[in-house]
Amino acid sequence: AGVSTQSTGSSGINAEYGLEKCPPSMQNLVLGALLDLTEDPRAVSHVVTWRGVGQVTAVSLLVSLWRQEETAMGVKRDLNNIMIDPGCPLQGIEQQQSEVSAHALSSTPTLAILDVGDNMRAKIYAMLYRIGFEKLPPLPAKDQITLTLIENYLDFKVGEVWQEIISELMVDNITPIRSDRDALREIQQIIGAKSEAVKRHQLEILEREQASEQEEEQACYEQIRSNYKQWEQQNDSRINFISKTSDYETLQMAKQKQSALAEKSRREPPSSAGMVEHNTLLRMLTTTVHSGRHINIPLSETPPPPGRDITSPHKVLPAISPRASR
């Protein structure tokens, strides 16, 4: 695994990298080489469109590497990767347990500076900064929580350096002048407020994700209840149909109920004078459903004239003799 480049004419540089497959001891070097390639803006689009095993994106891979680095360093995070101590958002166990020595040389790098080169977090921040934090593809809530820390990495690192400067002044018994004291106090307040704001934003992302999961769960339960209710209705309808076809008394009760419902649904005419009311029930009926597509209903109770069938929809014509047709 490594980094290979080839010229593609006007399309720029096509970077193919095996960052996710190389051993952990090589990841820092591979990421540094890839970061050098992204100095050309044309190479950034290739990094964004890259897909790894399982269609993982480059952004998701970088965020995952960030979490691996913090786990190895012992940075305080909870189960949802939310910062526990806003006072030291980036410090690992080694940096937290170290003490500032007195009379240190000005050329000696502090732990906050050494931390930049000891792990990949600075390179991951630089890579995502070149891609653009506002241009990143949609990410799951777990990655969004970690991405909030990555986006504020530079501010937190500057705050660590200032905190070390304040600690060195206290160890060397150096008292800053009033204006410098006010500036240092304001810097501490700004960094502390920044850490608290980042933690609140992480909690908001987690709350939105939990609310979304609860809504999906309730929608799933509602779908289950709807399906079960529909099954119960179908089962009751099937049992009712079997009861009507196997028990005559049940059939009679169904007929009476159907008649009562039909009577309730019938609208009262304004005047019944001169109108003929037709009976909708047939005698000796043994079913509650129609047995055919057509029903013959007499239009009048008076006997039909000779040669006509009032129940027929067509007029009955007299028969024509063969002689008349000639």
Side-chain angles (χ1 to χ4, degrees):
V3 179
S4 62
T5 61
Q6 65 180 31
S7 176
T8 56
S10 60
S11 61
I13 297 177
N14 180 18
E16 298 176 0
Y17 55 95
L19 182 61
E20 61 177 345
K21 297 182 180 180
C22 65
S25 58
M26 292 290 294
Q27 288 178 344
N28 200 348
L29 298 176
V30 174
L31 184 59
L34 183 62
L35 184 61
D36 293 337
L37 290 176
T38 54
E39 291 182 359
D40 187 348
R42 295 173 296 178
V44 176
S45 61
H46 295 280
V47 176
V48 175
T49 57
W50 176 85
R51 294 295 181 272
V53 178
Q55 295 299 313
V56 63
T57 62
V59 177
S60 297
L61 178 60
L62 293 174
V63 173
S64 178
L65 291 176
W66 177 284
R67 285 195 293 265
Q68 293 177 13
E69 285 289 294
E70 291 193 335
T71 302
M73 295 170 57
V75 183
K76 293 182 180 180
R77 299 284 185 265
D78 62 4
L79 297 178
N80 297 310
N81 296 311
I82 297 177
M83 69 169 66
I84 296 178
D85 187 4
C88 48
L90 299 178
Q91 295 179 3
I93 295 178
E94 181 180 357
Q95 191 173 354
Q96 292 177 7
Q97 294 178 353
S98 63
E99 297 180 357
V100 178
S101 59
H103 307 291
L105 298 176
S106 59
S107 59
T108 304
T110 60
L111 291 177
I113 302 300
L114 293 175
D115 176 74
V116 176
D118 290 343
N119 54 73
M120 296 186 294
R121 292 190 299 178
K123 295 183 178 67
I124 294 173
Y125 168 78
M127 178 67 69
L128 293 175
Y129 179 81
R130 286 181 177 175
I131 295 175
F133 288 101
E134 69 281 354
K135 300 179 182 179
L136 299 179
L139 297 173
K142 183 179 180 180
D143 291 345
Q144 291 181 21
I145 291 174
T146 306
L147 189 64
T148 304
L149 280 169
I150 301 175
E151 188 174 0
N152 295 274
Y153 170 79
L154 183 59
D155 294 336
F156 291 153
K157 182 57 64 175
V158 172
E160 285 185 1
V161 174
W162 276 110
Q163 187 62 41
E164 287 183 344
I165 293 174
I166 295 173
S167 300
E168 290 177 359
L169 292 176
M170 294 176 60
V171 170
D172 293 338
N173 294 323
I174 298 175
T175 303
I177 61 176
R178 181 175 180 180
S179 59
D180 292 340
R181 289 199 306 269
D182 295 340
L184 294 175
R185 189 182 303 108
E186 186 175 359
I187 290 173
Q188 288 180 315
Q189 293 176 355
I190 292 174
I191 298 301
K194 186 77 171 181
S195 301
E196 294 291 344
V198 171
K199 185 175 182 179
R200 286 195 302 269
H201 185 56
Q202 289 179 325
L203 293 174
E204 290 175 359
I205 295 174
L206 181 61
E207 291 176 357
R208 288 199 301 267
E209 179 66 16
Q210 292 176 349
S212 177
E213 291 178 354
Q214 291 179 358
E215 290 179 359
E216 293 179 358
E217 184 178 0
Q218 292 297 328
C220 181
Y221 287 149
E222 186 65 27
Q223 183 67 24
I224 294 174
R225 285 193 292 266
S226 177
N227 294 338
Y228 183 76
K229 185 176 181 180
Q230 185 177 5
W231 177 84
E232 284 185 337
Q233 292 176 351
Q234 293 177 354
N235 190 37
D236 293 342
S237 177
R238 183 170 59 254
I239 294 175
N240 188 23
F241 179 78
I242 295 174
S243 300
K244 289 189 295 183
T245 55
S246 60
D247 188 4
Y248 182 74
E249 293 182 357
T250 305
L251 178 63
Q252 291 297 108
M253 293 176 60
K255 289 173 60 178
Q256 294 176 2
K257 183 178 180 180
Q258 187 180 29
S259 300
L261 293 175
E263 188 66 26
K264 289 182 180 179
S265 63
R266 185 178 293 112
R267 187 179 63 178
E268 294 293 336
S271 175
S272 60
M275 299 181 63
V276 178
E277 182 177 357
H278 300 283
N279 189 11
T280 59
L281 298 179
L282 301 179
R283 296 181 180 181
M284 303 301 293
L285 183 65
T286 59
T287 180
T288 57
V289 295
H290 300 305
S291 57
R293 297 180 60 185
H294 304 284
I295 300 177
N296 292 330
I297 301 176
L299 301 179
S300 176
E301 295 182 357
T302 59
R308 290 178 179 270
D309 185 6
I310 196 68
T311 62
S312 176
H314 304 286
K315 180 178 181 181
V316 179
L317 300 177
I320 303 176
S321 62
R323 294 181 180 179
S325 63
R326 295 178 183 177

